[in-house]
Amino acid sequence: MRLATRGSPLALAQADIVAGMLATRFVGIEVERVVVHTEGDRRTDDALDRIGGQGVFVKEIQHAVGDGRADVAVHSAKDLPPIEPPGLAVVAVPVRADARDALVGSTLDALPPGAVVATGSPRRRAQLAHLRPDLVFVGLRGNMGTRLEHVRSGQVDVVVVAAAALDRLGWADRLDERLDTSTCLPQVGQGALALECRVDDRAVRSLLGTLDDQAAHMAVTAERAFLRALGAGCTLPVAAHATVVRGAGGGAGAGRVRLEGLIASGDGRVVVRDVLEGGDPERLGAALAALLVDEQGAAAIEGWEVTG
């Protein structure tokens, strides 16, 4: 089985995690990594929103699967645009890792007034600015080693990263604080892997199905539905995090999804946030988006724009 992946240390580690899962379930299976260089990897000096946003890390990987150079695309679910290209489908979401954001260099409370925070994420910047208007933010790109070097060299006081990224690289001891989701709501899909293949490839779909975790898949589906309902042109910072909770009375059942979502102004002065529960992840995501936009006034935030 050929796994298409980016060539960064984190992406390769994630592909190896998937290869290990397959090897555990199917003795004798041969797994090969197909390294694909994406637009996001080539243009590390440009902000993501200037070069295409979320999809810049996945399009070439999807093409490799679509044209038969690989069988499976291994994605960080947070990199996937909410609408899949024709002919491909996310058929498995393995057990989710830590979805939280984390700080390297200092805890949030220990940061002095005017501390310099490095992050390339408008979502992280808006939420942290909402809590700490005194902080100074600078952009950040590059692989995880490059990002952490900014702290070690003293260029910034703290770097904000995905906790799961450092966990998967074996660098958890470098974290100073994992931010509770009440402090910083994660990016859609953060901490999860998404395994995508051709819709008509029944053999691969069957194999990948054994790696799927129902709770993780439901949670990511709800988050992606929320993002999709906001529209492809939503330009404001957006966050969402879902968990599967037991049904009424504590029964196991199929579970219900608890979805929390957030839309903020770029400067963090305005944050609209709420939570809903439901049994259908797709409907839940759309309902929460409508709640924030139509009933709680997110559409009135300066900079709101939906183009499609």
Side-chain angles (χ1 to χ4, degrees), residues 82-135:
I83 299 176
E84 293 175 64
L88 298 182
V90 173
V91 297
V93 178
V95 174
R96 194 174 197 171
D98 192 341
R100 293 174 292 178
D101 292 300
L103 302 181
V104 177
S106 173
T107 63
L108 186 59
D109 289 344
L111 284 174
V116 179
V117 179
T119 174
S121 165
R123 171 191 62 82
R124 290 168 176 158
R125 184 167 61 245
Q127 292 185 78
L128 293 176
H130 184 74
L131 294 172
R132 291 280 305 272
D134 61 288
L135 297 176

Side-chain angles (χ1 to χ4, degrees), residues 45-89:
D45 294 331
D46 295 321
L48 291 181
D49 56 359
R50 294 179 182 175
I51 60 175
Q54 199 175 22
V56 299
F57 291 122
V58 304
K59 291 179 182 177
E60 288 93 339
I61 295 173
Q62 291 173 325
H63 289 162
V65 175
D67 65 20
R69 285 176 288 146
D71 305 301
V72 181
V74 180
H75 302 292
S76 290
K78 66 183 181 61
D79 292 336
L80 275 177
I83 299 176
E84 293 175 64
L88 298 182

Side-chain angles (χ1 to χ4, degrees), residues 184-273:
C184 196
L185 200 64
Q187 183 174 341
V188 166
Q190 188 160 296
L193 298 179
L195 308 183
E196 190 176 41
C197 71
R198 292 182 294 279
V199 172
D200 59 1
D201 195 336
R202 294 183 179 180
V204 170
R205 289 176 67 102
S206 177
L207 291 176
L208 293 182
T210 66
L211 308 186
D212 190 53
D213 179 78
Q214 183 182 23
H217 206 148
M218 289 178 69
V220 170
T221 297
E223 294 167 16
R224 285 169 52 78
F226 170 75
L227 186 61
R228 184 166 56 252
L230 291 178
C234 179
T235 59
L236 294 176
V238 171
H241 182 241
T243 54
V244 175
V245 297
R246 293 183 181 275
R256 288 173 60 82
V257 180
R258 180 184 186 275
L259 176 64
E260 188 167 7
L262 174 151
I263 303 173
S265 61
D267 58 12
R269 293 182 180 181
V270 180
V271 173
V272 179
R273 181 172 183 161

